[in-house]
Each structure stands twice: as C-alpha cells, then as structure tokens.
Amino acid sequence: FDVDPEFYRRHLSHNAQPREARTASNSPVYILPSFERSIFQFSITDVGRRDEHSTDSIQRLRERACESLDEYLHALQLGNGWRPADSVVRTFELLNRNTFSIEQQVTVYFRRDPRYNDRVVFVWLDSGRDVTQSPPGPWTSPSTSWAEFLPVVFYKPGIALNSHVVAQGEDSLSHPFDIPLASMPQSASLLSSRYDKLLDNQETSIDPFCTLHQLFVYFNVSEMQLMNAVAQELQHAVHTSPSPESEKSIRAQATFQHYRVFLQTHIRRIASILAVVNKQSAHDWLTATGEKSDEARQRLAPDLEYLLQSGIELERQCEREISIIMSNATIAETRSALRLTARAYRWAVLTAIYVPLSFTSSIFGMNFVQFSAASKGVWTWLIVTVPILGASLLLIMWNNKKAKEMVRKLRVKIG
C-alpha cells in the first residue's frame, strides 16, 4: 500500500518522550498544518470508575497517577508484558478519588492510488483489548480492587422500540477478542469489530469523510460524557468550597486551576475537529463535497459547537471560582490586618499609660531629693506624672486634621 513511514512515527511518538517529561495529562503537540495534509490525529476519551481505598489527598493521588503512567509508558517502550492487540493509553486524568478518564489516540492516513484512481484510508486505533484486560496502569493500583469503564451510549431515535431487531443474531456485550468480562466492556474496544457494520460501503468508497463519520460521532459522545463528569466535579467543588481563612482554600484554588488546564486541552481538540467538519482544515481530502457527507457535516457541526461552548463555559467557571477564592483570600487578609491593627492600637494606649508612670516612678525612686513628708512626696509625684501622662495620651490620639481644625478655630477666636 506504500504507507508513508511518518504515519507510524506519528502514532508511536509517545514512546519518544523522555521519562522525566511525562505527566498524567501530556502537553499539546503543535504541528504545522502543511504537515497534516495526509495524516490526521485526534484522541477519544473514556470515563471510568474504581474503588479507591487510600486516604491520601486528591493531590497526592494525582502525583501517584503521574508516577504510575511514567512506569506504564516505560514498560510499553520496552515491550515488557505486552501482547498483540493490547490497548494503549496515552493520558490519564483523575477527576476525583473514584472517577477517572483515559485518552487513546486515533491516527488516520490518506493517500491516493494513481494505479487504480482510488483512495486508501488507514485508521490506527490505540484501542484493542479492553483496557482492564491489558497491562495495568494508573487506573489500577494496590489501593483499588476493581476498575470499570462507563459505556459510551449512542442515541438513535426509536432504537429502543426496535431493540429486538438490533440485537438479533448477536450478543450486544460480546467482545471481539472473546475475553470474558465481569462488567460492561470498554466501548472503544468494540470499535474495531462493530465499526464496519455502521458504514455504507458505496458512500465510503467515494467520500473519505463518510468513512470517518462514525469516529467523529464517537468523539462527540465521549467528549459529552467527559464534560458532564467535569461539570459534576466542579459543582461539587463549588458547593464544598472552604472558608477563605482555611488552608484548604489554597487546595481548592489548585483544583480549579487543574480543571482549567484540563479543559483547555479538550477545547483545542474540539476546535480542531470542528475545523475539519466545517472544511476549514488543511486536510483537503476530508473536504470533498457529497450529499451524504454534507448531511453528516450538518449533523456533526451543531454537536461540536455545543461541546465547544460547553467547554468554554466550564473553563470560565473555573476562572470565576479562582477569582472568587483570590478575592475572598484578599478580604480575609485585610480583615486579619485590621484586627492586628486594633490590637496594636490597644497596646499603644496601654504603653502610653504605663510608660510615663514607670518613667516618673523611676525618677522619684532615685532618692536624689529628701522629701520632708511622705504625703508631700506623693503629691509631688502626681503633679509631675499627670502632665506627662496627659501629653503621652494626647500624642497617641493626635490627629493632624483635627489638630489643624482646632488651631484654626483658636486663631479665629483670638483674632
């Protein structure tokens, strides 16, 4: 088929990353549009659940997930414990203690065959066996006993009324690799065996976009599932937001910032798919015009625009919550400073009272003059102390504006 080796290099590029540079959510890779004319890549998402028994904080669990993903990708690079058709996971995101998401890559290669005046499309998926039946990664840990993925549910009007026809002749939960599963299989692992049943062979032979239409539909549904999971976590974080004086507010701010960066990655991904659907990308082989492809684009575009808007709204919610937390922290610090100022003022008043008393007592305690009578000595001490004490209190309560006003009134009376 004369496949360009760049197709293989692009799909296997995750193995080229140094171990120190890997994270649970990889940084975006930018490629010039002119380099993507024949190769197109995007990621599909699956949301899963697990039972986490550890009492560590969510930040610590995410750090452990990064370390586990590093070991997982390093084992993949070495090939230790891997079998043909095992699934590969590119990124892992811990949404909360028991909910997570994974991303798997889809690489599409297109070429024209001049010998037969035909088009050839290759699609390479990371999904093979169910992820739970493939080498373990961050979704399983010593502190978890099980992990499963939520099904990516496609809705088709009236399909529930014809379920007996849809399920006729096949087991809807059978796995392409005949692996017995204790729970619902990962939806992405069924793509390779079920995808061709949804295609119109006549249309796909003419228009490459029709070939990839169902993959784009799967992308939309899986992204919507992820958006719902993130929106639920943000709502929970907002309702359980700690008081500004608490140190937990710093962790809450870090949580919203974490989701903000996570959403930015998915917003860019949705925008790139929307550009393809709207014929605004460099992939000219995906911009062919046909009746079926135009209908598919008209169905996909509103969903992608809705996903893009939902992601932007969630990102803005994160920004608002971060601003609120920072504003509340500033207000709390201001209140604390005011309380400290009030306490300092009380200490200043007390100092203004006791320092003059201590000063005059020390002077009269030197016995440099012999008082003829004790009563006379006490009165002498009071006569000296009271003016000094009054002057000290006057200085501490001195207000320049009031003093100037008093001087002005005094001048008016004298003049």
Side-chain angles (χ1 to χ4, degrees):
F1 291 100
D2 296 331
V3 179
D4 189 345
E6 180 69 10
F7 170 62
Y8 302 102
R9 191 197 69 81
R10 294 264 187 100
H11 193 80
L12 298 175
S13 61
H14 63 280
N15 284 343
Q17 291 183 350
R19 296 185 65 185
E20 294 79 6
R22 295 174 189 151
T23 58
S25 296
N26 291 330
S27 301
V29 178
Y30 297 98
I31 302 176
L32 292 174
S34 58
F35 294 175
E36 289 193 314
R37 290 190 179 277
S38 60
I39 300 176
F40 175 58
Q41 288 183 299
F42 63 97
S43 298
I44 54 177
T45 307
D46 275 302
V47 178
R49 297 179 300 183
R50 66 179 186 178
D51 61 331
E52 178 61 54
H53 303 301
S54 173
T55 57
D56 292 339
S57 64
I58 187 67
Q59 285 80 8
R60 177 54 187 156
L61 291 176
R62 284 174 176 154
E63 291 174 0
R64 284 168 46 190
C66 290
E67 298 170 358
S68 178
L69 184 66
D70 180 89
E71 296 173 359
Y72 172 85
L73 293 177
H74 185 61
L76 173 61
Q77 185 177 7
L78 299 177
N80 295 337
W82 289 79
R83 303 165 295 171
D86 278 341
S87 288
V88 176
V89 175
R90 302 296 179 116
T91 63
F92 175 86
E93 181 65 33
L94 196 60
L95 301 179
N96 60 35
R97 302 180 65 84
N98 298 313
T99 307
F100 63 89
S101 69
I102 63 170
E103 294 180 11
Q104 295 176 290
Q105 189 91 334
V106 178
T107 305
V108 182
Y109 172 69
F110 170 82
R111 67 177 295 270
R112 297 181 185 274
D113 192 339
R115 295 172 296 180
Y116 305 102
N117 192 23
D118 203 355
R119 303 175 179 87
V120 180
V121 178
F122 292 89
V123 180
W124 193 347
L125 302 174
D126 278 344
S127 57
R129 289 184 177 87
D130 193 285
V131 170
T132 58
Q133 303 295 327
S134 298
W139 46 93
T140 58
S141 66
S143 58
T144 60
S145 57
W146 58 266
E148 64 178 5
F149 290 89
L150 303 179
V152 178
V153 181
F154 290 78
Y155 171 71
K156 185 177 181 180
I159 192 172
L161 302 176
N162 300 304
S163 57
H164 61 287
V165 178
V166 176
Q168 186 177 2
E170 65 174 338
D171 181 5
S172 59
L173 296 183
S174 61
H175 198 276
F177 298 101
D178 297 326
I179 298 176
L181 299 175
S183 59
M184 184 75 67
Q186 182 198 5
S187 298
S189 66
L190 303 176
L191 282 172
S192 58
S193 63
R194 306 298 173 88
Y195 192 78
D196 59 340
K197 298 180 181 180
L198 304 174
L199 298 178
D200 185 333
N201 294 331
Q202 183 178 0
E203 292 294 335
T204 55
S205 62
I206 300 174
D207 190 347
F209 185 84
C210 291
T211 307
L212 304 176
H213 171 250
Q214 290 299 324
L215 272 178
F216 292 147
V217 173
Y218 187 94
F219 172 85
N220 288 355
V221 178
S222 62
E223 284 294 315
M224 191 72 262
Q225 185 183 58
L226 178 66
M227 291 291 178
N228 288 330
V230 173
Q232 184 176 1
E233 292 306 315
L234 289 178
Q235 184 178 10
H236 175 73
V238 170
H239 290 165
T240 58
S241 181
S243 60
E245 293 83 0
S246 174
E247 293 184 359
K248 294 182 179 179
S249 62
I250 300 176
R251 293 196 291 268
Q253 182 178 352
T255 298
F256 286 114
Q257 178 64 19
H258 179 85
Y259 281 121
R260 179 172 173 265
V261 175
F262 177 69
L263 287 167
Q264 287 175 345
T265 302
H266 285 265
I267 289 171
R268 287 192 296 266
R269 188 170 301 155
I270 296 169
S272 66
I273 299 292
L274 182 59
V276 171
V277 172
N278 289 335
K279 303 182 182 181
Q280 297 174 350
S281 67
H283 309 89
D284 50 358
W285 54 277
L286 284 174
T287 60
T289 302
E291 182 179 353
K292 290 291 185 180
S293 63
D294 289 344
E295 292 178 0
R297 294 176 195 275
Q298 291 175 3
R299 290 193 299 268
L300 285 171
D303 290 343
L304 286 166
E305 291 172 356
Y306 177 77
L307 282 173
L308 184 61
Q309 187 62 33
S310 299
I312 293 174
E313 289 178 358
L314 290 175
E315 182 193 8
R316 289 174 178 171
Q317 181 181 359
C318 292
E319 293 176 351
R320 288 194 301 269
E321 294 302 325
I322 292 173
S323 299
I324 291 173
I325 291 175
M326 294 180 65
S327 299
N328 289 340
T330 303
I331 293 173
E333 290 179 0
T334 303
R335 290 174 177 173
S336 178
L338 291 175
R339 286 195 294 268
L340 291 176
T341 302
R343 292 176 183 175
Y345 179 76
R346 295 191 189 100
W347 279 108
V349 172
L350 292 175
T351 302
I353 295 173
Y354 285 101
V355 168
L357 297 177
S358 176
F359 172 73
T360 55
S361 298
S362 300
I363 293 296
F364 282 92
M366 294 180 182
N367 294 325
F368 59 88
V369 175
Q370 291 291 334
F371 297 104
S372 59
S375 59
K376 184 179 178 181
V378 172
W379 281 108
T380 304
W381 176 80
L382 287 176
I383 292 171
V384 174
T385 301
V386 169
I388 296 177
L389 179 61
S392 300
L393 295 176
L394 181 62
L395 286 174
I396 199 171
M397 293 184 294
W398 181 268
N399 187 304
N400 289 334
K401 291 183 178 180
K402 291 183 177 180
K404 291 179 180 179
E405 184 66 21
M406 291 173 60
V407 171
R408 188 185 64 82
K409 290 181 179 180
L410 184 61
R411 286 179 178 177
V412 171
K413 289 181 178 179
I414 295 174

